[in-house]
Amino acid sequence: MHVDNRIARSGLAAELDRWTQAHGPVTIGLAGAGQMGTDLVVQVALMPGVRIGAISEIDGQAAIDAALMAGHARSDLVATSNPAAVDRAIEAGQIAITDDFRAFCAAGRIDVVIDATGNPNVGTEVALDAMRHGKHVVMLNVEADITIGRWLKQEARKAGVVLTGAAGDEPAATIELIGFAQSLGFEIVAAGKGKNNPLKFDATPDEFEAEARARNMNPRMLVEFVDGSKTMVEMTALANATGLVPDVPGMHGPTATREELAQVLCTKEDGGILGRSGVVDYSIGKGVAPGVFCVVKPRHPRVIERMADLKVGPGPCFALVRPYHLTSLEVPLSAVRAVLHGRPDMEVLDHPVAECTAVAKRDLKPGQLLGKIGEYDYRGFAMEWRAARDGFALPLGLAEKARVLRPIRAGERLTYENCAPDEALVVTQMRRRLDQSDAQYLAA
């Protein structure tokens, strides 16, 4: 890897240089070598002071292919099955390949674990095992975060480690803007993302198989984006990390362009569509995706005048826009900050304000076992947490492998009354405990 030493290192890069000189590189254990995981392996190979120490993947060849794509020699990839073997591989400058994430979670040479599995239950197991062994955890698994993130946060505190959402994903990228705006004393009117893919609520993998193949994606993952589930998941995560709420069930999702955001996603008093200030939402308007935004309202006429003079917008509300998010390419930065700074880029609040529930894509029959997010049975739907709880809404993260109890028509919400989640899954058990704790909190 070529690094131009003529350019002075600054910011986190300089900090990482100093850390590496004193401690050696930050060593990552990666769970999952799908699209995101492969991106991570390639990106880390380009970063000074960071390395992949181990990869867990049921399909071992996928892990090998990711490492080879990143430029690692085949001889440097070692099949392992226990922590001691993982440590030996890392000490020899190699990458341990395993089908069991527990092997590297317990390895002494791993500093931080990144979960890139995309499965709420597996992600929960990865995080719990990593924290049990004193490892920091970066959750690229937003589906797990919105389902039992608060439980994982409690476990991280007990273990004295960092649990963080991932840089590069829209929620963390948006929080960067929110923090900037709050530090300037602006009112946060709305925050969210531009939706990247066309919105088709009833999308299925069959109709997007060709496009997914052309984009080197799993059709199910592409559909999770297209049917809106991923947007609902991400905005729920943003809400529960900030206290911003969905203004209406499902959010508005206007066709506001980048130039129109501040005049549309503002309160009705200011000429917009919102019933209140302090909300999460998204736009399908031109020029917003693949970026994130924060609509703010300065608190003084002089500041409004200056913002308008600086061409930020006409006011009285203004859209601060980050026109990109680098998804998995930025994730290693969260791992680095967890190790160097001991603090998260993003974490859930102690009490939720939003829930991502599930809505049926098609008619569902009693006895049917539900498939995965992004398949044929259901899609995500964001709403306020108390309304979801009062309506016995089934969290999206518990829908996979749930059994249908009553007939459900397309467009109806999945609830605990018409669906039974799989009680054998760790994520279901953790969520049950959270719900019991919430009941005590509400009764207090």
Side-chain angles (χ1 to χ4, degrees):
M1 179 186 61
H2 172 69
V3 177
D4 191 338
N5 293 318
R6 297 172 301 174
I7 303 174
R9 307 277 282 173
S10 61
L12 185 60
E15 293 180 54
L16 187 54
D17 277 352
R18 292 191 291 270
W19 174 274
T20 304
Q21 291 170 13
H23 306 281
V26 172
T27 304
I28 295 170
L30 173 65
Q35 180 187 7
M36 294 295 186
T38 297
D39 287 347
L40 276 163
V41 176
V42 173
Q43 180 62 34
V44 168
L46 304 173
M47 298 173 63
V50 190
R51 66 178 173 182
I52 297 291
I55 305 171
S56 69
E57 173 60 60
I58 295 176
D59 179 3
Q61 190 58 49
I64 292 170
D65 290 344
L68 293 176
M69 183 182 292
H72 297 284
R74 181 62 182 85
S75 58
D76 287 336
L77 311 179
V78 182
T80 57
S81 59
N82 60 72
V86 171
D87 280 335
R88 285 195 299 271
I90 294 171
E91 290 163 3
Q94 300 170 316
I95 296 178
I97 306 295
T98 178
D99 62 0
D100 186 357
F101 59 83
R102 295 172 183 83
F104 67 62
C105 284
R109 294 291 181 178
I110 295 294
D111 298 313
V112 56
V113 170
I114 298 178
D115 169 42
T117 62
N119 181 292
N121 191 66
V122 176
T124 299
E125 293 182 336
V126 170
L128 288 173
D129 199 66
M131 293 186 293
R132 194 175 298 124
H133 290 94
K135 303 291 187 293
H136 303 301
V137 178
V138 180
M139 294 289 288
L140 191 53
N141 191 332
V142 192
E143 292 81 2
D145 177 74
I146 63 166
T147 308
I148 44 81
R150 289 177 294 135
W151 180 272
L152 295 178
K153 176 183 174 181
Q154 295 169 15
E155 295 303 300
R157 285 178 172 174
K158 292 177 185 176
V161 299
V162 173
L163 172 74
T164 179
D169 220 358
E170 282 102 327
T174 310
I175 284 174
E176 292 178 14
L177 288 176
I178 293 171
F180 170 73
Q182 288 175 323
S183 68
L184 291 174
F186 294 152
E187 175 186 346
I188 309 299
V189 178
K193 60 170 282 186
K195 191 178 181 311
N196 292 302
N197 298 276
L199 183 60
K200 189 174 188 296
F201 288 133
D202 60 352
T204 62
D206 294 342
E207 59 185 316
F208 285 89
E209 185 173 352
E211 180 180 341
R213 191 182 306 113
R215 296 173 59 178
N216 196 28
M217 294 181 67
N218 181 313
R220 181 187 68 79
M221 291 190 67
L222 177 56
V223 168
E224 186 177 350
F225 288 101
V226 174
D227 71 7
S229 294
K230 199 70 172 180
T231 294
M232 299 291 166
V233 166
E234 290 164 344
M235 293 302 93
T236 298
L238 177 61
N240 287 333
T242 61
L244 301 172
V245 296
D247 187 39
V248 296
M251 300 179 288
H252 292 282
T255 56
T257 66
R258 178 172 173 174
E259 293 74 21
E260 296 168 340
L261 274 174
Q263 283 68 58
V264 175
L265 286 175
C266 60
T267 63
K268 293 175 182 176
E269 289 77 7
D270 286 323
I273 62 175
L274 301 181
R276 54 186 155 178
S277 183
V279 307
V280 291
D281 219 301
Y282 68 99
S283 175
I284 57 176
K286 184 177 179 181
V288 185
V292 296
F293 63 85
C294 180
V295 176
V296 302
K297 186 175 183 180
R299 304 173 189 272
H300 194 284
R302 175 72 178 217
V303 180
I304 293 175
E305 177 187 339
R306 184 60 55 236
M307 294 277 280
D309 183 58
L310 291 169
K311 312 300 182 188
V312 184
C317 297
F318 302 88
L320 305 179
V321 180
R322 186 188 192 217
Y324 65 91
H325 71 289
L326 302 185
T327 60
S328 43
L329 303 183
E330 290 185 64
V331 174
L333 298 180
S334 287
V336 169
R337 284 189 284 262
V339 174
L340 271 62
H341 299 158
R343 66 172 184 262
D345 284 339
M346 170 182 164
E347 68 176 356
V348 296
L349 302 172
D350 290 336
H351 299 290
V353 298
E355 184 80 81
C356 191
T357 63
V359 169
K361 284 187 181 180
R362 61 180 179 179
D363 292 348
L364 303 173
K365 300 178 180 179
Q368 182 177 344
L369 286 180
L370 299 180
K372 298 180 179 180
I373 302 170
E375 291 187 334
Y376 305 90
D377 298 328
Y378 55 87
R379 61 179 175 88
F381 187 79
M383 56 192 301
E384 282 199 84
W385 177 76
R386 285 180 181 269
R389 183 179 176 87
D390 291 346
F392 303 103
L394 183 72
L396 181 68
L398 303 188
E400 182 179 344
K401 296 184 179 180
R403 183 180 297 277
V404 179
L405 302 177
R406 302 177 183 175
I408 305 172
R409 292 189 176 184
E412 288 186 17
R413 294 177 194 167
L414 275 57
T415 70
Y416 285 108
E417 295 176 329
N418 59 33
C419 283
D422 186 349
E423 297 292 342
L425 297 179
V426 173
V427 67
T428 304
Q429 297 164 15
M430 298 300 99
R431 180 56 192 248
R432 288 287 190 195
R433 296 183 188 182
L434 271 178
D435 289 342
Q436 292 168 1
S437 175
D438 289 334
Q440 296 171 357
Y441 164 71
L442 290 172

PDB file of all heavy atoms in Angstrom, residues 262-294:
ATOM      1  N   ALA A 262     -35.647  22.113   3.194  1.00  0.00           N
ATOM      2  CA  ALA A 262     -35.911  22.976   4.345  1.00  0.00           C
ATOM      3  C   ALA A 262     -37.260  23.658   4.283  1.00  0.00           C
ATOM      4  O   ALA A 262     -37.784  24.117   5.310  1.00  0.00           O
ATOM      5  CB  ALA A 262     -34.805  24.023   4.473  1.00  0.00           C
ATOM      6  N   GLN A 263     -37.851  23.742   3.093  1.00  0.00           N
ATOM      7  CA  GLN A 263     -39.172  24.359   2.960  1.00  0.00           C
ATOM      8  C   GLN A 263     -40.298  23.333   2.994  1.00  0.00           C
ATOM      9  O   GLN A 263     -41.470  23.691   3.084  1.00  0.00           O
ATOM     10  CB  GLN A 263     -39.251  25.152   1.650  1.00  0.00           C
ATOM     11  CG  GLN A 263     -38.544  26.511   1.692  1.00  0.00           C
ATOM     12  CD  GLN A 263     -37.036  26.386   1.810  1.00  0.00           C
ATOM     13  OE1 GLN A 263     -36.404  25.756   0.961  1.00  0.00           O
ATOM     14  NE2 GLN A 263     -36.461  26.968   2.840  1.00  0.00           N
ATOM     15  N   VAL A 264     -39.947  22.047   2.918  1.00  0.00           N
ATOM     16  CA  VAL A 264     -40.944  20.976   2.963  1.00  0.00           C
ATOM     17  C   VAL A 264     -40.918  20.264   4.322  1.00  0.00           C
ATOM     18  O   VAL A 264     -41.943  20.117   4.984  1.00  0.00           O
ATOM     19  CB  VAL A 264     -40.721  19.958   1.824  1.00  0.00           C
ATOM     20  CG1 VAL A 264     -41.689  18.783   1.939  1.00  0.00           C
ATOM     21  CG2 VAL A 264     -40.868  20.643   0.467  1.00  0.00           C
ATOM     22  N   LEU A 265     -39.734  19.823   4.740  1.00  0.00           N
ATOM     23  CA  LEU A 265     -39.619  19.135   6.025  1.00  0.00           C
ATOM     24  C   LEU A 265     -39.370  20.150   7.140  1.00  0.00           C
ATOM     25  O   LEU A 265     -38.347  20.156   7.822  1.00  0.00           O
ATOM     26  CB  LEU A 265     -38.517  18.080   5.965  1.00  0.00           C
ATOM     27  CG  LEU A 265     -38.901  16.826   5.175  1.00  0.00           C
ATOM     28  CD1 LEU A 265     -37.723  15.870   5.052  1.00  0.00           C
ATOM     29  CD2 LEU A 265     -40.100  16.111   5.818  1.00  0.00           C
ATOM     30  N   CYS A 266     -40.359  21.032   7.269  1.00  0.00           N
ATOM     31  CA  CYS A 266     -40.403  21.981   8.378  1.00  0.00           C
ATOM     32  C   CYS A 266     -41.850  22.009   8.859  1.00  0.00           C
ATOM     33  O   CYS A 266     -42.737  21.389   8.260  1.00  0.00           O
ATOM     34  CB  CYS A 266     -39.913  23.365   7.954  1.00  0.00           C
ATOM     35  SG  CYS A 266     -40.861  24.134   6.626  1.00  0.00           S
ATOM     36  N   THR A 267     -42.114  22.715   9.934  1.00  0.00           N
ATOM     37  CA  THR A 267     -43.462  22.705  10.504  1.00  0.00           C
ATOM     38  C   THR A 267     -44.452  23.453   9.604  1.00  0.00           C
ATOM     39  O   THR A 267     -44.070  24.273   8.772  1.00  0.00           O
ATOM     40  CB  THR A 267     -43.467  23.352  11.892  1.00  0.00           C
ATOM     41  OG1 THR A 267     -43.094  24.724  11.761  1.00  0.00           O
ATOM     42  CG2 THR A 267     -42.500  22.641  12.825  1.00  0.00           C
ATOM     43  N   LYS A 268     -45.717  23.166   9.810  1.00  0.00           N
ATOM     44  CA  LYS A 268     -46.759  23.831   9.033  1.00  0.00           C
ATOM     45  C   LYS A 268     -46.733  25.342   9.269  1.00  0.00           C
ATOM     46  O   LYS A 268     -47.032  26.119   8.355  1.00  0.00           O
ATOM     47  CB  LYS A 268     -48.123  23.254   9.406  1.00  0.00           C
ATOM     48  CG  LYS A 268     -48.292  21.794   8.985  1.00  0.00           C
ATOM     49  CD  LYS A 268     -49.608  21.202   9.480  1.00  0.00           C
ATOM     50  CE  LYS A 268     -49.713  19.727   9.076  1.00  0.00           C
ATOM     51  NZ  LYS A 268     -50.943  19.088   9.618  1.00  0.00           N
ATOM     52  N   GLU A 269     -46.352  25.761  10.461  1.00  0.00           N
ATOM     53  CA  GLU A 269     -46.251  27.186  10.764  1.00  0.00           C
ATOM     54  C   GLU A 269     -45.203  27.870   9.890  1.00  0.00           C
ATOM     55  O   GLU A 269     -45.322  29.056   9.570  1.00  0.00           O
ATOM     56  CB  GLU A 269     -45.900  27.396  12.240  1.00  0.00           C
ATOM     57  CG  GLU A 269     -47.012  27.067  13.222  1.00  0.00           C
ATOM     58  CD  GLU A 269     -47.192  25.567  13.449  1.00  0.00           C
ATOM     59  OE1 GLU A 269     -46.365  24.771  12.954  1.00  0.00           O
ATOM     60  OE2 GLU A 269     -48.163  25.194  14.127  1.00  0.00           O
ATOM     61  N   ASP A 270     -44.185  27.099   9.473  1.00  0.00           N
ATOM     62  CA  ASP A 270     -43.137  27.651   8.616  1.00  0.00           C
ATOM     63  C   ASP A 270     -43.349  27.291   7.143  1.00  0.00           C
ATOM     64  O   ASP A 270     -42.446  27.451   6.318  1.00  0.00           O
ATOM     65  CB  ASP A 270     -41.760  27.158   9.076  1.00  0.00           C
ATOM     66  CG  ASP A 270     -41.306  27.843  10.351  1.00  0.00           C
ATOM     67  OD1 ASP A 270     -41.583  29.049  10.496  1.00  0.00           O
ATOM     68  OD2 ASP A 270     -40.671  27.181  11.202  1.00  0.00           O
ATOM     69  N   GLY A 271     -44.547  26.784   6.809  1.00  0.00           N
ATOM     70  CA  GLY A 271     -44.890  26.496   5.425  1.00  0.00           C
ATOM     71  C   GLY A 271     -44.631  25.084   4.972  1.00  0.00           C
ATOM     72  O   GLY A 271     -44.774  24.778   3.785  1.00  0.00           O
ATOM     73  N   GLY A 272     -44.265  24.187   5.907  1.00  0.00           N
ATOM     74  CA  GLY A 272     -43.959  22.809   5.545  1.00  0.00           C
ATOM     75  C   GLY A 272     -45.077  21.839   5.846  1.00  0.00           C
ATOM     76  O   GLY A 272     -46.232  22.225   6.014  1.00  0.00           O
ATOM     77  N   ILE A 273     -44.714  20.550   5.968  1.00  0.00           N
ATOM     78  CA  ILE A 273     -45.720  19.493   6.129  1.00  0.00           C
ATOM     79  C   ILE A 273     -45.713  18.881   7.524  1.00  0.00           C
ATOM     80  O   ILE A 273     -46.570  18.037   7.822  1.00  0.00           O
ATOM     81  CB  ILE A 273     -45.504  18.370   5.086  1.00  0.00           C
ATOM     82  CG1 ILE A 273     -44.139  17.696   5.282  1.00  0.00           C
ATOM     83  CG2 ILE A 273     -45.651  18.913   3.672  1.00  0.00           C
ATOM     84  CD1 ILE A 273     -43.914  16.491   4.364  1.00  0.00           C
ATOM     85  N   LEU A 274     -44.794  19.265   8.378  1.00  0.00           N
ATOM     86  CA  LEU A 274     -44.653  18.606   9.672  1.00  0.00           C
ATOM     87  C   LEU A 274     -45.635  19.151  10.709  1.00  0.00           C
ATOM     88  O   LEU A 274     -45.860  20.355  10.789  1.00  0.00           O
ATOM     89  CB  LEU A 274     -43.230  18.775  10.203  1.00  0.00           C
ATOM     90  CG  LEU A 274     -42.096  18.239   9.323  1.00  0.00           C
ATOM     91  CD1 LEU A 274     -40.751  18.482  10.015  1.00  0.00           C
ATOM     92  CD2 LEU A 274     -42.289  16.757   9.023  1.00  0.00           C
ATOM     93  N   GLY A 275     -46.152  18.226  11.502  1.00  0.00           N
ATOM     94  CA  GLY A 275     -47.036  18.628  12.581  1.00  0.00           C
ATOM     95  C   GLY A 275     -46.282  19.104  13.804  1.00  0.00           C
ATOM     96  O   GLY A 275     -46.886  19.639  14.738  1.00  0.00           O
ATOM     97  N   ARG A 276     -44.980  18.914  13.819  1.00  0.00           N
ATOM     98  CA  ARG A 276     -44.159  19.303  14.966  1.00  0.00           C
ATOM     99  C   ARG A 276     -42.702  19.365  14.537  1.00  0.00           C
ATOM    100  O   ARG A 276     -42.312  18.817  13.496  1.00  0.00           O
ATOM    101  CB  ARG A 276     -44.311  18.283  16.096  1.00  0.00           C
ATOM    102  CG  ARG A 276     -44.018  16.857  15.642  1.00  0.00           C
ATOM    103  CD  ARG A 276     -44.310  15.842  16.702  1.00  0.00           C
ATOM    104  NE  ARG A 276     -44.605  14.536  16.109  1.00  0.00           N
ATOM    105  CZ  ARG A 276     -44.870  13.448  16.830  1.00  0.00           C
ATOM    106  NH1 ARG A 276     -44.877  13.522  18.140  1.00  0.00           N
ATOM    107  NH2 ARG A 276     -45.148  12.310  16.236  1.00  0.00           N
ATOM    108  N   SER A 277     -41.897  19.973  15.354  1.00  0.00           N
ATOM    109  CA  SER A 277     -40.455  20.015  15.140  1.00  0.00           C
ATOM    110  C   SER A 277     -39.819  18.846  15.884  1.00  0.00           C
ATOM    111  O   SER A 277     -40.378  18.334  16.853  1.00  0.00           O
ATOM    112  CB  SER A 277     -39.885  21.336  15.663  1.00  0.00           C
ATOM    113  OG  SER A 277     -38.513  21.442  15.415  1.00  0.00           O
ATOM    114  N   GLY A 278     -38.635  18.420  15.423  1.00  0.00           N
ATOM    115  CA  GLY A 278     -37.909  17.344  16.095  1.00  0.00           C
ATOM    116  C   GLY A 278     -38.283  15.963  15.598  1.00  0.00           C
ATOM    117  O   GLY A 278     -38.600  15.079  16.403  1.00  0.00           O
ATOM    118  N   VAL A 279     -38.221  15.760  14.274  1.00  0.00           N
ATOM    119  CA  VAL A 279     -38.677  14.495  13.700  1.00  0.00           C
ATOM    120  C   VAL A 279     -37.595  13.859  12.825  1.00  0.00           C
ATOM    121  O   VAL A 279     -36.642  14.508  12.397  1.00  0.00           O
ATOM    122  CB  VAL A 279     -39.958  14.682  12.860  1.00  0.00           C
ATOM    123  CG1 VAL A 279     -41.022  15.398  13.655  1.00  0.00           C
ATOM    124  CG2 VAL A 279     -39.656  15.428  11.560  1.00  0.00           C
ATOM    125  N   VAL A 280     -37.781  12.555  12.577  1.00  0.00           N
ATOM    126  CA  VAL A 280     -36.994  11.844  11.566  1.00  0.00           C
ATOM    127  C   VAL A 280     -37.866  11.649  10.338  1.00  0.00           C
ATOM    128  O   VAL A 280     -39.084  11.476  10.449  1.00  0.00           O
ATOM    129  CB  VAL A 280     -36.493  10.473  12.058  1.00  0.00           C
ATOM    130  CG1 VAL A 280     -35.447  10.626  13.127  1.00  0.00           C
ATOM    131  CG2 VAL A 280     -37.652   9.608  12.559  1.00  0.00           C
ATOM    132  N   ASP A 281     -37.256  11.692   9.171  1.00  0.00           N
ATOM    133  CA  ASP A 281     -37.994  11.455   7.938  1.00  0.00           C
ATOM    134  C   ASP A 281     -37.005  11.171   6.816  1.00  0.00           C
ATOM    135  O   ASP A 281     -35.791  11.116   7.044  1.00  0.00           O
ATOM    136  CB  ASP A 281     -38.885  12.646   7.585  1.00  0.00           C
ATOM    137  CG  ASP A 281     -40.238  12.215   7.025  1.00  0.00           C
ATOM    138  OD1 ASP A 281     -40.252  11.507   5.992  1.00  0.00           O
ATOM    139  OD2 ASP A 281     -41.257  12.566   7.634  1.00  0.00           O
ATOM    140  N   TYR A 282     -37.526  10.988   5.629  1.00  0.00           N
ATOM    141  CA  TYR A 282     -36.679  10.731   4.465  1.00  0.00           C
ATOM    142  C   TYR A 282     -37.296  11.414   3.260  1.00  0.00           C
ATOM    143  O   TYR A 282     -38.461  11.815   3.280  1.00  0.00           O
ATOM    144  CB  TYR A 282     -36.533   9.230   4.209  1.00  0.00           C
ATOM    145  CG  TYR A 282     -37.816   8.533   3.762  1.00  0.00           C
ATOM    146  CD1 TYR A 282     -38.060   8.265   2.422  1.00  0.00           C
ATOM    147  CD2 TYR A 282     -38.786   8.148   4.692  1.00  0.00           C
ATOM    148  CE1 TYR A 282     -39.233   7.628   2.008  1.00  0.00           C
ATOM    149  CE2 TYR A 282     -39.952   7.517   4.303  1.00  0.00           C
ATOM    150  CZ  TYR A 282     -40.172   7.257   2.956  1.00  0.00           C
ATOM    151  OH  TYR A 282     -41.330   6.636   2.547  1.00  0.00           O
ATOM    152  N   SER A 283     -36.505  11.569   2.213  1.00  0.00           N
ATOM    153  CA  SER A 283     -37.007  12.176   0.985  1.00  0.00           C
ATOM    154  C   SER A 283     -36.663  11.299  -0.203  1.00  0.00           C
ATOM    155  O   SER A 283     -35.595  10.679  -0.244  1.00  0.00           O
ATOM    156  CB  SER A 283     -36.384  13.565   0.785  1.00  0.00           C
ATOM    157  OG  SER A 283     -36.777  14.106  -0.468  1.00  0.00           O
ATOM    158  N   ILE A 284     -37.560  11.245  -1.157  1.00  0.00           N
ATOM    159  CA  ILE A 284     -37.283  10.540  -2.408  1.00  0.00           C
ATOM    160  C   ILE A 284     -37.071  11.556  -3.536  1.00  0.00           C
ATOM    161  O   ILE A 284     -37.051  11.195  -4.717  1.00  0.00           O
ATOM    162  CB  ILE A 284     -38.418   9.551  -2.773  1.00  0.00           C
ATOM    163  CG1 ILE A 284     -39.769  10.276  -2.880  1.00  0.00           C
ATOM    164  CG2 ILE A 284     -38.505   8.444  -1.736  1.00  0.00           C
ATOM    165  CD1 ILE A 284     -40.900   9.373  -3.342  1.00  0.00           C
ATOM    166  N   GLY A 285     -36.890  12.817  -3.153  1.00  0.00           N
ATOM    167  CA  GLY A 285     -36.682  13.872  -4.137  1.00  0.00           C
ATOM    168  C   GLY A 285     -35.283  13.839  -4.737  1.00  0.00           C
ATOM    169  O   GLY A 285     -34.325  13.331  -4.136  1.00  0.00           O
ATOM    170  N   LYS A 286     -35.141  14.407  -5.894  1.00  0.00           N
ATOM    171  CA  LYS A 286     -33.881  14.408  -6.639  1.00  0.00           C
ATOM    172  C   LYS A 286     -32.798  15.176  -5.886  1.00  0.00           C
ATOM    173  O   LYS A 286     -33.035  16.230  -5.328  1.00  0.00           O
ATOM    174  CB  LYS A 286     -34.100  15.041  -8.017  1.00  0.00           C
ATOM    175  CG  LYS A 286     -32.889  15.003  -8.924  1.00  0.00           C
ATOM    176  CD  LYS A 286     -33.210  15.593 -10.289  1.00  0.00           C
ATOM    177  CE  LYS A 286     -32.000  15.574 -11.203  1.00  0.00           C
ATOM    178  NZ  LYS A 286     -32.307  16.167 -12.541  1.00  0.00           N
ATOM    179  N   GLY A 287     -31.599  14.613  -5.887  1.00  0.00           N
ATOM    180  CA  GLY A 287     -30.439  15.305  -5.352  1.00  0.00           C
ATOM    181  C   GLY A 287     -30.171  15.109  -3.876  1.00  0.00           C
ATOM    182  O   GLY A 287     -29.164  15.605  -3.371  1.00  0.00           O
ATOM    183  N   VAL A 288     -31.057  14.405  -3.164  1.00  0.00           N
ATOM    184  CA  VAL A 288     -30.834  14.177  -1.733  1.00  0.00           C
ATOM    185  C   VAL A 288     -30.002  12.917  -1.518  1.00  0.00           C
ATOM    186  O   VAL A 288     -28.993  12.927  -0.825  1.00  0.00           O
ATOM    187  CB  VAL A 288     -32.161  14.095  -0.961  1.00  0.00           C
ATOM    188  CG1 VAL A 288     -31.885  13.979   0.544  1.00  0.00           C
ATOM    189  CG2 VAL A 288     -33.023  15.312  -1.245  1.00  0.00           C
ATOM    190  N   ALA A 289     -30.443  11.805  -2.103  1.00  0.00           N
ATOM    191  CA  ALA A 289     -29.665  10.565  -2.036  1.00  0.00           C
ATOM    192  C   ALA A 289     -28.403  10.723  -2.890  1.00  0.00           C
ATOM    193  O   ALA A 289     -28.441  11.409  -3.927  1.00  0.00           O
ATOM    194  CB  ALA A 289     -30.498   9.397  -2.550  1.00  0.00           C
ATOM    195  N   PRO A 290     -27.302  10.112  -2.470  1.00  0.00           N
ATOM    196  CA  PRO A 290     -27.122   9.202  -1.331  1.00  0.00           C
ATOM    197  C   PRO A 290     -26.721   9.906  -0.042  1.00  0.00           C
ATOM    198  O   PRO A 290     -26.025   9.335   0.788  1.00  0.00           O
ATOM    199  CB  PRO A 290     -25.997   8.297  -1.823  1.00  0.00           C
ATOM    200  CG  PRO A 290     -25.127   9.232  -2.618  1.00  0.00           C
ATOM    201  CD  PRO A 290     -26.076  10.201  -3.288  1.00  0.00           C
ATOM    202  N   GLY A 291     -27.183  11.131   0.130  1.00  0.00           N
ATOM    203  CA  GLY A 291     -26.772  11.902   1.282  1.00  0.00           C
ATOM    204  C   GLY A 291     -27.729  11.834   2.453  1.00  0.00           C
ATOM    205  O   GLY A 291     -28.769  11.163   2.415  1.00  0.00           O
ATOM    206  N   VAL A 292     -27.348  12.550   3.524  1.00  0.00           N
ATOM    207  CA  VAL A 292     -28.177  12.687   4.716  1.00  0.00           C
ATOM    208  C   VAL A 292     -28.335  14.179   4.994  1.00  0.00           C
ATOM    209  O   VAL A 292     -27.573  15.003   4.481  1.00  0.00           O
ATOM    210  CB  VAL A 292     -27.559  11.971   5.929  1.00  0.00           C
ATOM    211  CG1 VAL A 292     -27.485  10.473   5.680  1.00  0.00           C
ATOM    212  CG2 VAL A 292     -26.163  12.521   6.245  1.00  0.00           C
ATOM    213  N   PHE A 293     -29.325  14.535   5.804  1.00  0.00           N
ATOM    214  CA  PHE A 293     -29.607  15.948   6.028  1.00  0.00           C
ATOM    215  C   PHE A 293     -30.061  16.211   7.451  1.00  0.00           C
ATOM    216  O   PHE A 293     -30.505  15.304   8.176  1.00  0.00           O
ATOM    217  CB  PHE A 293     -30.679  16.441   5.052  1.00  0.00           C
ATOM    218  CG  PHE A 293     -32.016  15.759   5.221  1.00  0.00           C
ATOM    219  CD1 PHE A 293     -32.943  16.215   6.149  1.00  0.00           C
ATOM    220  CD2 PHE A 293     -32.361  14.657   4.439  1.00  0.00           C
ATOM    221  CE1 PHE A 293     -34.175  15.588   6.319  1.00  0.00           C
ATOM    222  CE2 PHE A 293     -33.592  14.021   4.590  1.00  0.00           C
ATOM    223  CZ  PHE A 293     -34.493  14.483   5.528  1.00  0.00           C
ATOM    224  N   CYS A 294     -29.956  17.473   7.828  1.00  0.00           N
ATOM    225  CA  CYS A 294     -30.500  17.957   9.092  1.00  0.00           C
ATOM    226  C   CYS A 294     -31.092  19.335   8.825  1.00  0.00           C
ATOM    227  O   CYS A 294     -30.366  20.265   8.457  1.00  0.00           O
ATOM    228  CB  CYS A 294     -29.400  18.023  10.147  1.00  0.00           C
ATOM    229  SG  CYS A 294     -29.961  18.618  11.757  1.00  0.00           S
TER     230      CYS A 294
END
